[in-house]
Amino acid sequence: MAALSIPDDELWTAYRSKKRFCLVIGTKQPYVEDVLRRNMPKKLTSPTLLVAPYYGANPDGKRAGYNPELVDRIRHAEYPQFILDYLPIPDSEQSILRLDHIQPVSLHYHAYEHTGFCLSDEAVELILDDWLQWLFYGGLPANSLILDYQKEIIAAYS
């Protein structure tokens, strides 16, 4: 079947995906000039957003959710890949931001829906940047607010 043929070094895949809230992690990319894109597929240099998805923390009949003990440990900032959050939407429940699921999303207007919500510059600088450093490099800066928070949690629960 010529219409469904596939080269030996490729394979067919199918993915199912759910529309979900994400935090945009990165948007700043220099544009690749058209002269450098000539004679090649545009998809090889098309700009993207880097996003980290949110997952519902609580079971609700449609999803399993997270173990409550794990949610407590995420709340206490024990894992660099998870952040517990409440989305700025009506009736929001706990959500888990998965920084280890950062992925590119096309900048095409059909690929995402902007909600109008964003982190403050201070939240990005004082929390998110440190959290990403912790995930990517294995440690927090000595003056990180996350370290202060972890110390307070240890003091409160010891």
Side-chain angles (χ1 to χ4, degrees):
M1 293 188 1
L4 297 177
S5 65
I6 187 165
D8 289 339
D9 62 343
E10 294 181 8
L11 59 101
W12 286 105
T13 60
Y15 298 96
R16 197 177 84 157
S17 102
K18 177 180 176 182
K19 187 176 179 180
R20 64 176 65 251
F21 288 96
C22 294
L23 179 66
V24 175
I25 301 293
T27 60
K28 305 285 187 214
Q29 302 170 17
Y31 177 75
V32 177
E33 295 81 5
D34 288 336
V35 68
L36 299 174
R37 297 169 60 149
R38 194 171 302 139
N39 299 323
M40 61 185 276
K42 292 200 185 311
K43 69 180 180 182
L44 296 177
T45 57
S46 295
T48 60
L49 298 170
L50 289 178
V51 301
Y54 284 96
Y55 297 92
N58 304 325
D60 71 355
K62 291 187 274 183
R63 67 170 172 257
Y66 285 74
N67 177 319
E69 185 178 340
L70 176 59
V71 172
D72 282 342
R73 293 181 70 178
I74 292 169
R75 178 181 295 109
H76 297 163
E78 292 187 31
Y79 301 98
Q81 68 269 38
F82 301 120
I83 298 176
L84 185 72
D85 202 357
Y86 287 86
L87 297 173
I89 57 175
D91 303 320
S92 178
E93 295 186 10
Q94 299 178 111
S95 292
I96 306 292
L97 179 66
R98 292 290 307 265
L99 294 176
D100 59 340
H101 284 197
I102 292 173
Q103 57 193 286
V105 172
S106 171
L107 274 177
H108 190 278
Y109 68 94
H110 284 303
Y112 67 93
E113 179 181 336
H114 189 277
T115 63
F117 298 107
C118 67
L119 296 177
S120 69
D121 291 342
E122 188 176 51
V124 171
E125 181 182 337
L126 297 176
I127 304 297
L128 188 59
D129 286 350
D130 286 359
W131 216 295
L132 289 169
Q133 178 177 326
W134 182 24
L135 176 66
F136 294 156
Y137 304 110
L140 286 162
N143 62 346
S144 176
L145 291 177
I146 300 166
L147 285 173
D148 293 340
Y149 175 76
Q150 290 171 332
K151 289 175 190 171
E152 291 294 324
I153 291 296
I154 290 169
Y157 288 92
S158 296

